[in-house]
Amino acid sequence: MLTPAATTDLDSRLREAADRFDHAVTTARRDAAVQVVEELLDSGVEAMTVMTDVIAAAQRHVGARWQRGEWSVAQEHAATSVSVAALEAVARKAATGAPHRGHVVVACAEHEWHAMPASIVAAGLRAEGWEVTLLGASTPTARLSRYLRDLGPDVTAVSCSVAAGLPTSRAFIEASTSAGIPVLAGGAAFGTDDRRATALGATAWAADVRSAVETVASLPMVVHEAAPLPAEITLEQVALRHAGHALVDAVAFRWQNRHEALGPVADEDEADLLHETVEQVYHAVVGALITGDGRLVAETAAWVESVLAVRGMPSSAVRDLGRSMAAELDDFPLAASMWQRHWPSAGVGSCPS
Protein backbone atom coordinates (compact mmCIF):
# COMPACT_ATOMS: atom_id res chain seq x y z
CA MET A 1 0.00 0.00 0.00
CA LEU A 2 1.29 3.47 -0.88
CA THR A 3 2.11 5.85 1.94
CA PRO A 4 0.33 9.26 1.93
CA ALA A 5 3.54 10.90 0.71
CA ALA A 6 3.94 8.36 -2.08
CA THR A 7 0.30 8.81 -3.07
CA THR A 8 0.75 12.58 -3.23
CA ASP A 9 3.88 12.14 -5.35
CA LEU A 10 2.04 9.76 -7.72
CA ASP A 11 -0.90 12.16 -8.03
CA SER A 12 1.47 15.00 -8.83
CA ARG A 13 3.31 12.97 -11.46
CA LEU A 14 0.05 11.84 -13.03
CA ARG A 15 -1.28 15.41 -13.25
CA GLU A 16 1.95 16.58 -14.86
CA ALA A 17 1.93 13.64 -17.27
CA ALA A 18 -1.75 14.13 -18.08
CA ASP A 19 -1.08 17.77 -18.98
CA ARG A 20 1.82 16.79 -21.26
CA PHE A 21 -0.27 14.03 -22.83
CA ASP A 22 -3.19 16.38 -23.40
CA HIS A 23 -0.84 18.86 -25.09
CA ALA A 24 0.50 16.08 -27.33
CA VAL A 25 -3.06 15.09 -28.24
CA THR A 26 -4.16 18.63 -28.99
CA THR A 27 -1.13 19.18 -31.22
CA ALA A 28 -1.40 15.72 -32.83
CA ARG A 29 2.14 14.76 -31.75
CA ARG A 30 2.07 10.98 -31.62
CA ASP A 31 5.70 10.45 -30.57
CA ALA A 32 5.34 12.88 -27.68
CA ALA A 33 2.21 11.10 -26.43
CA VAL A 34 3.89 7.70 -26.60
CA GLN A 35 6.89 9.09 -24.74
CA VAL A 36 4.67 10.30 -21.89
CA VAL A 37 3.03 6.93 -21.30
CA GLU A 38 6.27 4.99 -21.66
CA GLU A 39 7.96 7.23 -19.08
CA LEU A 40 5.11 6.57 -16.65
CA LEU A 41 5.31 2.81 -17.16
CA ASP A 42 9.10 2.82 -16.84
CA SER A 43 8.77 4.68 -13.54
CA GLY A 44 6.54 1.94 -12.16
CA VAL A 45 3.06 3.39 -12.68
CA GLU A 46 0.50 0.62 -13.34
CA ALA A 47 -0.71 0.21 -16.90
CA MET A 48 -4.33 0.45 -15.74
CA THR A 49 -3.63 3.81 -14.12
CA VAL A 50 -1.99 5.13 -17.28
CA MET A 51 -4.94 4.01 -19.37
CA THR A 52 -7.62 5.47 -17.09
CA ASP A 53 -5.97 8.59 -15.64
CA VAL A 54 -4.04 9.73 -18.70
CA ILE A 55 -5.36 8.28 -21.98
CA ALA A 56 -9.06 7.95 -21.15
CA ALA A 57 -9.01 11.32 -19.39
CA ALA A 58 -7.55 12.97 -22.49
CA GLN A 59 -10.23 11.38 -24.65
CA ARG A 60 -12.94 12.87 -22.45
CA HIS A 61 -11.37 16.29 -23.00
CA VAL A 62 -11.39 15.64 -26.75
CA GLY A 63 -15.14 14.99 -26.74
CA ALA A 64 -15.76 18.02 -24.54
CA ARG A 65 -13.87 20.28 -26.96
CA TRP A 66 -16.12 19.22 -29.83
CA GLN A 67 -19.19 19.67 -27.65
CA ARG A 68 -18.08 23.22 -26.79
CA GLY A 69 -17.63 23.98 -30.48
CA GLU A 70 -13.87 24.42 -30.10
CA TRP A 71 -12.88 21.50 -32.33
CA SER A 72 -13.98 20.06 -35.65
CA VAL A 73 -14.67 16.38 -36.21
CA ALA A 74 -11.37 16.17 -38.10
CA GLN A 75 -9.48 17.46 -35.06
CA GLU A 76 -11.27 14.87 -32.92
CA HIS A 77 -10.15 12.08 -35.23
CA ALA A 78 -6.55 13.32 -35.34
CA ALA A 79 -6.43 13.47 -31.56
CA THR A 80 -7.94 10.02 -31.19
CA SER A 81 -5.33 8.52 -33.51
CA VAL A 82 -2.66 9.86 -31.14
CA SER A 83 -4.40 8.25 -28.16
CA VAL A 84 -4.68 4.97 -30.06
CA ALA A 85 -0.91 4.96 -30.66
CA ALA A 86 -0.28 5.62 -26.97
CA LEU A 87 -2.70 2.87 -25.94
CA GLU A 88 -0.93 0.41 -28.21
CA ALA A 89 2.36 1.34 -26.56
CA VAL A 90 0.86 0.72 -23.11
CA ALA A 91 -0.61 -2.60 -24.24
CA ARG A 92 2.76 -3.79 -25.56
CA LYS A 93 4.57 -2.94 -22.34
CA ALA A 94 1.79 -4.35 -20.17
CA ALA A 95 1.78 -7.73 -21.92
CA THR A 96 2.41 -10.45 -19.36
CA GLY A 97 3.11 -13.37 -21.66
CA ALA A 98 0.67 -16.03 -22.77
CA PRO A 99 -2.93 -15.61 -21.54
CA HIS A 100 -3.61 -17.77 -18.52
CA ARG A 101 -7.22 -16.89 -17.85
CA GLY A 102 -10.40 -17.16 -19.95
CA HIS A 103 -11.30 -15.72 -23.33
CA VAL A 104 -13.26 -12.47 -23.67
CA VAL A 105 -14.79 -11.09 -26.86
CA VAL A 106 -14.94 -7.29 -26.69
CA ALA A 107 -17.15 -5.56 -29.24
CA CYS A 108 -18.76 -2.22 -29.94
CA ALA A 109 -22.49 -2.39 -30.52
CA GLU A 110 -23.63 -1.96 -34.10
CA HIS A 111 -23.87 1.79 -34.91
CA GLU A 112 -21.25 2.48 -32.25
CA TRP A 113 -18.18 3.99 -33.93
CA HIS A 114 -16.36 5.16 -30.79
CA ALA A 115 -13.95 2.24 -30.46
CA MET A 116 -11.54 3.77 -27.96
CA PRO A 117 -13.39 2.69 -24.77
CA ALA A 118 -13.59 -0.90 -26.02
CA SER A 119 -9.89 -0.80 -26.95
CA ILE A 120 -8.99 0.37 -23.46
CA VAL A 121 -11.05 -2.41 -21.87
CA ALA A 122 -9.40 -4.96 -24.17
CA ALA A 123 -5.94 -3.70 -23.23
CA GLY A 124 -6.83 -3.80 -19.54
CA LEU A 125 -8.06 -7.38 -19.78
CA ARG A 126 -4.94 -8.49 -21.67
CA ALA A 127 -2.77 -6.91 -19.00
CA GLU A 128 -4.57 -9.07 -16.44
CA GLY A 129 -3.88 -12.28 -18.35
CA TRP A 130 -7.10 -12.69 -20.34
CA GLU A 131 -7.16 -13.79 -23.95
CA VAL A 132 -9.05 -11.04 -25.75
CA THR A 133 -10.58 -10.81 -29.20
CA LEU A 134 -11.44 -7.20 -30.03
CA LEU A 135 -14.03 -7.04 -32.78
CA GLY A 136 -13.83 -3.25 -33.15
CA ALA A 137 -16.28 -0.52 -34.04
CA SER A 138 -19.88 -1.18 -35.06
CA THR A 139 -19.76 -4.97 -35.03
CA PRO A 140 -22.58 -6.24 -37.26
CA THR A 141 -25.17 -7.83 -35.02
CA ALA A 142 -25.99 -10.44 -37.61
CA ARG A 143 -22.40 -11.72 -37.49
CA LEU A 144 -21.98 -11.81 -33.74
CA SER A 145 -23.53 -15.24 -33.27
CA ARG A 146 -21.08 -16.64 -35.82
CA TYR A 147 -18.17 -14.96 -34.04
CA LEU A 148 -19.30 -16.44 -30.75
CA ARG A 149 -19.68 -19.89 -32.24
CA ASP A 150 -16.26 -19.76 -33.92
CA LEU A 151 -14.38 -18.20 -31.01
CA GLY A 152 -16.11 -19.87 -28.06
CA PRO A 153 -15.45 -17.09 -25.53
CA ASP A 154 -16.17 -17.27 -21.81
CA VAL A 155 -17.50 -13.70 -21.71
CA THR A 156 -18.83 -11.10 -24.14
CA ALA A 157 -18.22 -7.44 -23.32
CA VAL A 158 -20.27 -4.87 -25.23
CA SER A 159 -19.31 -1.20 -25.36
CA CYS A 160 -21.90 1.45 -26.20
CA SER A 161 -21.32 5.21 -25.99
CA VAL A 162 -24.27 6.50 -28.02
CA ALA A 163 -27.99 5.81 -27.62
CA ALA A 164 -28.21 4.49 -31.19
CA GLY A 165 -26.29 1.45 -30.00
CA LEU A 166 -28.67 0.44 -27.21
CA PRO A 167 -31.05 -1.59 -29.42
CA THR A 168 -28.13 -3.43 -30.99
CA SER A 169 -26.60 -3.95 -27.54
CA ARG A 170 -29.81 -5.78 -26.71
CA ALA A 171 -29.28 -7.91 -29.82
CA PHE A 172 -25.74 -8.69 -28.61
CA ILE A 173 -27.10 -9.70 -25.22
CA GLU A 174 -29.69 -11.98 -26.82
CA ALA A 175 -27.06 -13.62 -29.05
CA SER A 176 -24.62 -14.18 -26.19
CA THR A 177 -26.99 -15.33 -23.47
CA SER A 178 -28.81 -17.68 -25.85
CA ALA A 179 -25.43 -19.46 -26.07
CA GLY A 180 -25.08 -19.37 -22.27
CA ILE A 181 -22.32 -16.74 -22.41
CA PRO A 182 -22.45 -13.97 -19.78
CA VAL A 183 -22.45 -10.36 -21.03
CA LEU A 184 -20.74 -7.36 -19.47
CA ALA A 185 -22.16 -4.01 -20.62
CA GLY A 186 -20.53 -0.60 -20.33
CA GLY A 187 -20.14 2.78 -21.93
CA ALA A 188 -21.71 6.22 -21.66
CA ALA A 189 -25.02 5.17 -23.24
CA PHE A 190 -25.62 2.77 -20.35
CA GLY A 191 -25.55 5.69 -17.91
CA THR A 192 -24.12 5.89 -14.42
CA ASP A 193 -25.68 2.79 -12.87
CA ASP A 194 -26.79 -0.68 -13.94
CA ARG A 195 -30.44 0.15 -14.67
CA ARG A 196 -30.21 0.18 -18.48
CA ALA A 197 -27.85 -2.80 -18.66
CA THR A 198 -30.13 -4.82 -16.39
CA ALA A 199 -33.24 -3.84 -18.35
CA LEU A 200 -31.61 -5.08 -21.54
CA GLY A 201 -30.68 -8.40 -19.90
CA ALA A 202 -26.93 -7.96 -19.46
CA THR A 203 -25.31 -10.15 -16.82
CA ALA A 204 -23.40 -7.22 -15.33
CA TRP A 205 -22.54 -3.56 -15.84
CA ALA A 206 -19.25 -1.74 -15.36
CA ALA A 207 -18.73 1.98 -14.82
CA ASP A 208 -15.18 2.13 -16.19
CA VAL A 209 -12.30 0.03 -17.41
CA ARG A 210 -11.03 -0.81 -13.94
CA SER A 211 -14.39 -2.11 -12.76
CA ALA A 212 -14.85 -3.89 -16.09
CA VAL A 213 -11.67 -5.89 -15.54
CA GLU A 214 -12.67 -6.68 -11.95
CA THR A 215 -16.22 -7.66 -12.92
CA VAL A 216 -15.25 -10.00 -15.76
CA ALA A 217 -13.40 -12.17 -13.25
CA SER A 218 -16.55 -12.58 -11.14
CA LEU A 219 -19.08 -13.48 -13.84
CA PRO A 220 -20.77 -16.90 -13.82
CA MET A 221 -19.53 -19.48 -16.27
CA VAL A 222 -22.97 -20.05 -17.78
CA VAL A 223 -26.10 -17.88 -17.83
CA HIS A 224 -29.73 -18.29 -18.83
CA GLU A 225 -31.03 -16.65 -21.97
CA ALA A 226 -32.10 -13.05 -21.35
CA ALA A 227 -35.82 -12.70 -20.75
CA PRO A 228 -37.79 -11.16 -23.64
CA LEU A 229 -38.58 -7.47 -23.42
CA PRO A 230 -42.28 -6.76 -22.71
CA ALA A 231 -44.34 -7.30 -25.85
CA GLU A 232 -45.82 -3.79 -25.92
CA ILE A 233 -42.32 -2.28 -25.77
CA THR A 234 -41.03 -4.55 -28.52
CA LEU A 235 -43.97 -3.72 -30.78
CA GLU A 236 -43.52 0.01 -30.29
CA GLN A 237 -39.75 -0.24 -30.81
CA VAL A 238 -40.31 -2.01 -34.12
CA ALA A 239 -42.83 0.63 -35.17
CA LEU A 240 -40.40 3.41 -34.27
CA ARG A 241 -37.64 1.71 -36.21
CA HIS A 242 -39.80 1.50 -39.34
CA ALA A 243 -40.80 5.15 -38.91
CA GLY A 244 -37.25 6.27 -38.12
CA HIS A 245 -36.10 8.22 -41.19
CA ALA A 246 -39.49 9.77 -41.90
CA LEU A 247 -39.96 10.71 -38.25
CA VAL A 248 -36.53 12.34 -38.02
CA ASP A 249 -37.14 14.30 -41.25
CA ALA A 250 -40.56 15.43 -40.01
CA VAL A 251 -39.20 16.60 -36.66
CA ALA A 252 -36.28 18.40 -38.34
CA PHE A 253 -38.72 20.15 -40.71
CA ARG A 254 -40.97 21.29 -37.86
CA TRP A 255 -38.05 22.41 -35.76
CA GLN A 256 -36.27 24.30 -38.52
CA ASN A 257 -39.47 26.09 -39.48
CA ARG A 258 -39.44 27.83 -36.13
CA HIS A 259 -37.26 30.62 -37.48
CA GLU A 260 -37.69 32.72 -34.40
CA ALA A 261 -35.77 30.10 -32.44
CA LEU A 262 -33.13 28.84 -34.85
CA GLY A 263 -32.77 31.53 -37.48
CA PRO A 264 -31.77 30.67 -41.04
CA VAL A 265 -29.33 27.80 -41.43
CA ALA A 266 -25.89 29.34 -41.90
CA ASP A 267 -24.26 26.64 -44.02
CA GLU A 268 -24.14 22.94 -44.79
CA ASP A 269 -22.24 22.15 -41.59
CA GLU A 270 -24.94 23.75 -39.48
CA ALA A 271 -27.66 21.94 -41.41
CA ASP A 272 -25.85 18.65 -40.77
CA LEU A 273 -25.51 19.49 -37.07
CA LEU A 274 -29.21 20.24 -36.68
CA HIS A 275 -30.24 17.06 -38.48
CA GLU A 276 -27.76 14.99 -36.48
CA THR A 277 -29.15 16.54 -33.31
CA VAL A 278 -32.64 15.34 -34.21
CA GLU A 279 -31.25 11.87 -34.95
CA GLN A 280 -29.62 11.76 -31.52
CA VAL A 281 -32.90 12.76 -29.93
CA TYR A 282 -34.77 10.05 -31.85
CA HIS A 283 -32.26 7.44 -30.67
CA ALA A 284 -32.67 8.69 -27.10
CA VAL A 285 -36.43 8.12 -27.35
CA VAL A 286 -35.93 4.55 -28.54
CA GLY A 287 -33.24 3.90 -25.94
CA ALA A 288 -35.41 5.22 -23.14
CA LEU A 289 -38.31 3.10 -24.36
CA ILE A 290 -36.46 -0.22 -24.35
CA THR A 291 -34.61 0.42 -21.09
CA GLY A 292 -37.49 2.09 -19.26
CA ASP A 293 -35.08 4.82 -18.19
CA GLY A 294 -36.39 8.30 -18.95
CA ARG A 295 -33.18 9.81 -17.64
CA LEU A 296 -31.74 9.16 -21.09
CA VAL A 297 -34.20 11.68 -22.55
CA ALA A 298 -33.30 14.30 -19.94
CA GLU A 299 -29.57 13.68 -20.42
CA THR A 300 -29.95 14.12 -24.17
CA ALA A 301 -31.85 17.37 -23.65
CA ALA A 302 -28.98 18.69 -21.53
CA TRP A 303 -26.48 17.61 -24.20
CA VAL A 304 -28.49 19.29 -26.96
CA GLU A 305 -28.75 22.49 -24.94
CA SER A 306 -24.98 22.63 -24.39
CA VAL A 307 -24.17 21.88 -28.04
CA LEU A 308 -26.59 24.52 -29.34
CA ALA A 309 -25.65 27.16 -26.76
CA VAL A 310 -21.98 27.27 -27.73
CA ARG A 311 -23.08 27.69 -31.34
CA GLY A 312 -25.13 30.76 -30.51
CA MET A 313 -28.60 29.23 -30.47
CA PRO A 314 -31.08 30.20 -27.76
CA SER A 315 -32.21 27.83 -25.01
CA SER A 316 -35.74 28.08 -26.42
CA ALA A 317 -34.52 25.87 -29.30
CA VAL A 318 -34.42 22.93 -26.89
CA ARG A 319 -38.04 23.52 -25.87
CA ASP A 320 -39.06 23.87 -29.51
CA LEU A 321 -37.28 20.66 -30.43
CA GLY A 322 -39.19 18.96 -27.63
CA ARG A 323 -42.50 20.22 -28.96
CA SER A 324 -41.58 19.20 -32.50
CA MET A 325 -40.76 15.66 -31.38
CA ALA A 326 -43.88 15.44 -29.19
CA ALA A 327 -46.01 16.30 -32.21
CA GLU A 328 -44.60 13.31 -34.13
CA LEU A 329 -45.03 10.73 -31.34
CA ASP A 330 -48.83 10.54 -31.33
CA ASP A 331 -48.75 7.00 -32.76
CA PHE A 332 -46.26 5.80 -30.15
CA PRO A 333 -47.96 6.11 -26.76
CA LEU A 334 -45.24 4.61 -24.58
CA ALA A 335 -42.51 6.73 -26.15
CA ALA A 336 -44.74 9.80 -26.08
CA SER A 337 -45.41 9.37 -22.38
CA MET A 338 -41.69 8.99 -21.66
CA TRP A 339 -40.99 12.06 -23.75
CA GLN A 340 -43.59 14.25 -22.07
CA ARG A 341 -42.30 13.35 -18.63
CA HIS A 342 -38.59 13.82 -19.25
CA TRP A 343 -37.92 16.39 -22.01
CA PRO A 344 -37.95 19.96 -20.62
CA SER A 345 -41.29 21.63 -21.38
CA ALA A 346 -42.05 19.10 -24.13
CA GLY A 347 -45.77 19.34 -23.69
CA VAL A 348 -46.09 23.09 -23.10
CA GLY A 349 -47.86 25.06 -25.80
CA SER A 350 -48.38 24.04 -29.38
CA CYS A 351 -46.01 23.38 -32.22
CA PRO A 352 -46.72 24.93 -35.60
CA SER A 353 -46.94 22.62 -38.55
Side-chain angles (χ1 to χ4, degrees):
M1 179 179 294
L2 294 175
T3 65
T7 300
T8 300
D9 176 61
L10 176 59
D11 290 344
S12 176
R13 282 192 292 148
L14 282 174
R15 282 196 298 273
E16 186 270 337
D19 288 343
R20 288 173 55 207
F21 188 86
D22 189 66
H23 181 69
V25 165
T26 57
T27 53
R29 295 172 61 220
R30 178 177 304 214
D31 291 346
V34 171
Q35 181 179 350
V36 171
V37 298
E38 289 185 337
E39 286 177 0
L40 285 172
L41 295 171
D42 290 343
S43 70
V45 178
E46 291 182 344
M48 190 70 72
T49 300
V50 177
M51 288 189 281
T52 57
D53 293 10
V54 178
I55 299 176
Q59 281 303 110
R60 288 194 292 274
H61 293 318
V62 168
R65 289 184 178 106
W66 177 87
Q67 188 169 337
R68 293 195 298 266
E70 298 169 3
W71 275 18
S72 66
V73 172
Q75 286 174 297
E76 268 194 293
H77 289 177
T80 299
S81 72
V82 173
S83 291
V84 168
L87 179 62
E88 290 172 349
V90 175
R92 284 194 298 272
K93 281 187 170 286
T96 56
H100 57 278
R101 307 179 80 171
H103 184 186
V104 184
V105 164
V106 180
C108 297
E110 192 167 7
H111 308 306
E112 173 57 74
W113 294 98
H114 300 86
M116 195 65 186
S119 298
I120 293 176
V121 168
L125 288 166
R126 288 194 185 101
E128 293 297 314
W130 293 87
E131 180 183 359
V132 179
T133 300
L134 177 61
L135 298 182
S138 191
T139 301
T141 305
R143 296 182 187 172
L144 184 68
S145 293
R146 180 173 178 178
Y147 289 142
L148 297 178
R149 186 178 67 246
D150 291 347
L151 298 171
D154 300 287
V155 176
T156 301
V158 58
S159 174
C160 181
S161 300
V162 295
L166 288 174
T168 52
S169 293
R170 166 65 188 182
F172 272 34
I173 291 165
E174 291 175 347
S176 295
T177 59
S178 66
I181 301 169
V183 182
L184 175 68
F190 283 102
T192 56
D193 57 38
D194 66 353
R195 179 173 173 180
R196 293 171 202 166
T198 300
L200 295 182
T203 315
W205 165 83
D208 52 31
V209 59
R210 197 180 295 277
S211 63
V213 172
E214 292 173 355
T215 304
V216 162
S218 66
L219 293 176
M221 295 181 65
V222 179
V223 296
H224 295 295
E225 184 173 1
L229 296 180
E232 65 273 21
I233 289 177
T234 300
L235 289 171
E236 194 157 308
Q237 180 201 356
V238 171
L240 276 167
R241 187 176 69 235
H242 287 311
H245 291 299
L247 191 149
V248 167
D249 288 344
V251 172
F253 180 78
R254 281 180 181 272
W255 190 33
Q256 187 53 51
N257 275 348
R258 296 184 66 84
H259 291 291
E260 71 278 13
L262 295 176
V265 175
D267 51 34
E268 187 175 335
D269 287 345
E270 185 172 308
D272 289 344
L273 172 66
L274 295 178
H275 200 272
E276 184 180 336
T277 297
V278 178
E279 288 183 338
Q280 295 293 335
V281 167
Y282 160 77
H283 291 306
V285 173
V286 177
L289 172 69
I290 62 174
T291 62
D293 188 355
R295 294 176 299 174
L296 181 55
V297 171
E299 291 164 10
T300 303
W303 177 83
V304 170
E305 183 170 14
S306 67
V307 168
L308 298 185
V310 298
R311 290 162 177 82
M313 297 182 193
S315 59
S316 59
V318 178
R319 180 193 62 222
D320 293 331
L321 175 55
R323 292 174 177 172
S324 300
M325 177 61 78
E328 298 296 332
L329 290 177
D330 285 348
D331 294 333
F332 311 98
L334 297 177
S337 174
M338 186 81 74
W339 186 259
Q340 295 284 354
R341 285 183 284 124
H342 294 283
W343 189 272
S345 304
V348 178
S350 59
C351 183
S353 299

